[in-house]
Amino acid sequence: RGVEVVASAVFTPEFKARGVCFIYSIRIRLLTPDDDDYVSPSQRGFQTCQLQTRHWRIHDCITGTTDNVRGDGVIGLYPFLREGGYRNDSGMSPTRLDEEGANHTGYFKYQSCSGPCQGSFEGDLQFVPGSLQEPTGDVFDVKVAP
């Protein structure tokens, strides 16, 4: 659907005593005409889209358990994507946005930290074509591969 999500992680053994072994980064953007996998607005069915929810699956290889983390947006933000940039909208929930954020170019970036010390991380991000306030189509998922 023209949304690129890039995930990366760095192993941080110096934080192991605090139960944190990885610092991870999620970068999100709407592809532009200069990108190889570009999909035009008419092909993808929308000009803009906005993050609605996330679902992370964090697998612990030592215990064999999987933590499912679901929530609205990321850290209270609901990035509104357009070709070439984004706007950081914030709020309590997708239906209660407090304010439109500033416009930025490039990727929306989110960084955090997590355990376990041996495992994998994957998930899904759910987007709304148009905006959360004025959707122009059905929600769609973008996979974040392990």
Side-chain angles (χ1 to χ4, degrees):
R1 303 285 308 258
V3 176
E4 178 182 52
V5 177
V6 178
S8 58
V10 176
F11 180 62
T12 54
E14 61 272 20
F15 295 123
K16 187 174 182 178
R18 295 185 211 165
V20 172
C21 290
F22 290 95
I23 295 174
Y24 66 91
S25 171
I26 306 292
R27 294 174 295 169
I28 306 167
R29 72 181 180 121
L30 198 55
L31 294 173
T32 66
D34 295 334
D35 296 308
D36 290 337
D37 295 327
Y38 176 71
V39 179
S40 72
S42 62
Q43 292 170 308
R44 65 179 176 247
F46 56 88
Q47 291 279 337
T48 61
C49 63
Q50 192 162 19
L51 179 66
Q52 181 175 15
T53 62
R54 72 191 181 301
H55 175 203
W56 301 136
R57 292 176 292 283
I58 304 167
H59 308 287
D60 185 326
C61 290
I62 295 172
T63 65
T65 60
T66 299
D67 287 330
N68 286 281
V69 179
R70 296 176 191 271
D72 296 331
V74 289
I75 59 167
L77 297 175
Y78 300 86
F80 174 81
L81 306 180
R82 57 177 165 68
E83 288 184 9
Y86 65 96
R87 186 180 72 212
N88 266 341
D89 292 355
S90 62
M92 298 296 292
S93 74
T95 58
R96 292 184 46 207
L97 294 181
D98 296 329
E99 63 182 68
E100 286 188 1
N103 283 304
H104 303 276
T105 58
Y107 287 90
F108 166 81
K109 299 173 196 98
Y110 166 70
Q111 296 176 330
S112 190
C113 52
S114 180
C117 289
Q118 292 182 15
S120 64
F121 174 94
E122 64 183 300
D124 303 281
L125 299 174
Q126 189 174 70
F127 290 88
V128 173
S131 70
L132 294 170
Q133 303 301 325
E134 296 181 26
T136 60
D138 295 331
V139 298
F140 63 94
D141 291 335
V142 175
K143 296 256 182 239
V144 178

Coordinates of all heavy atoms in Angstrom, one line a residue, residues 12 15-22 113-117:
T12 N 22.3 -4.5 23.7 CA 23.0 -3.7 24.7 C 23.2 -4.5 25.9 O 22.5 -4.3 26.9 CB 22.1 -2.5 25.0 OG1 20.8 -2.9 25.3 CG2 22.0 -1.5 23.7
F15 N 23.0 -3.0 29.6 CA 21.8 -2.8 30.3 C 21.1 -4.1 30.8 O 20.0 -4.0 31.3 CB 20.8 -2.0 29.4 CG 21.3 -0.6 29.0 CD1 21.4 -0.3 27.7 CD2 21.6 0.3 30.0 CE1 21.9 1.0 27.4 CE2 22.0 1.6 29.7 CZ 22.1 1.9 28.4
K16 N 21.7 -5.2 30.7 CA 21.1 -6.5 31.0 C 20.7 -6.6 32.4 O 19.6 -7.1 32.7 CB 22.1 -7.6 30.7 CG 21.6 -9.0 30.9 CD 22.6 -10.1 30.5 CE 22.0 -11.4 30.6 NZ 22.9 -12.5 30.1
A17 N 21.4 -6.0 33.4 CA 21.0 -6.0 34.8 C 19.7 -5.3 35.0 O 19.0 -5.6 36.0 CB 22.1 -5.3 35.6
R18 N 19.3 -4.4 34.1 CA 18.0 -3.7 34.2 C 16.9 -4.4 33.5 O 15.8 -3.9 33.4 CB 18.2 -2.3 33.6 CG 19.1 -1.4 34.4 CD 19.1 0.0 33.8 NE 20.4 0.6 34.0 CZ 20.8 1.7 33.3 NH1 20.0 2.3 32.5 NH2 22.0 2.2 33.5
G19 N 17.2 -5.5 32.9 CA 16.2 -6.3 32.2 C 16.0 -5.8 30.7 O 15.0 -6.2 30.1
V20 N 16.9 -5.0 30.3 CA 16.8 -4.4 28.9 C 18.0 -4.9 28.1 O 19.1 -4.8 28.6 CB 16.8 -2.9 28.9 CG1 16.9 -2.3 27.5 CG2 15.5 -2.4 29.6
C21 N 17.7 -5.6 27.0 CA 18.8 -6.1 26.2 C 18.9 -5.5 24.8 O 19.9 -5.7 24.1 CB 18.8 -7.6 26.2 SG 19.1 -8.4 27.8
F22 N 17.8 -4.9 24.4 CA 17.8 -4.4 23.0 C 17.2 -2.9 23.0 O 16.3 -2.6 23.8 CB 16.9 -5.2 22.1 CG 17.5 -6.6 21.8 CD1 17.2 -7.7 22.5 CD2 18.4 -6.7 20.8 CE1 17.7 -8.9 22.3 CE2 19.0 -7.9 20.5 CZ 18.6 -9.0 21.2
C113 N 13.2 0.6 24.2 CA 14.1 -0.5 24.6 C 13.2 -1.6 25.2 O 12.1 -1.4 25.6 CB 15.1 0.0 25.7 SG 14.4 0.8 27.1
S114 N 13.8 -2.8 25.1 CA 13.0 -4.0 25.5 C 13.9 -5.2 25.9 O 15.1 -5.2 25.5 CB 12.1 -4.4 24.4 OG 11.3 -5.5 24.7
G115 N 13.4 -6.1 26.6 CA 14.0 -7.4 26.8 C 13.2 -8.3 25.9 O 12.3 -7.8 25.2
P116 N 13.3 -9.6 25.8 CA 14.3 -10.4 26.5 C 15.7 -10.3 25.9 O 15.8 -9.7 24.8 CB 13.7 -11.8 26.4 CG 13.0 -11.7 25.1 CD 12.4 -10.3 25.0
C117 N 16.6 -11.0 26.5 CA 18.0 -11.0 26.0 C 18.2 -11.9 24.8 O 19.2 -11.8 24.1 CB 19.0 -11.3 27.1 SG 19.0 -9.9 28.2

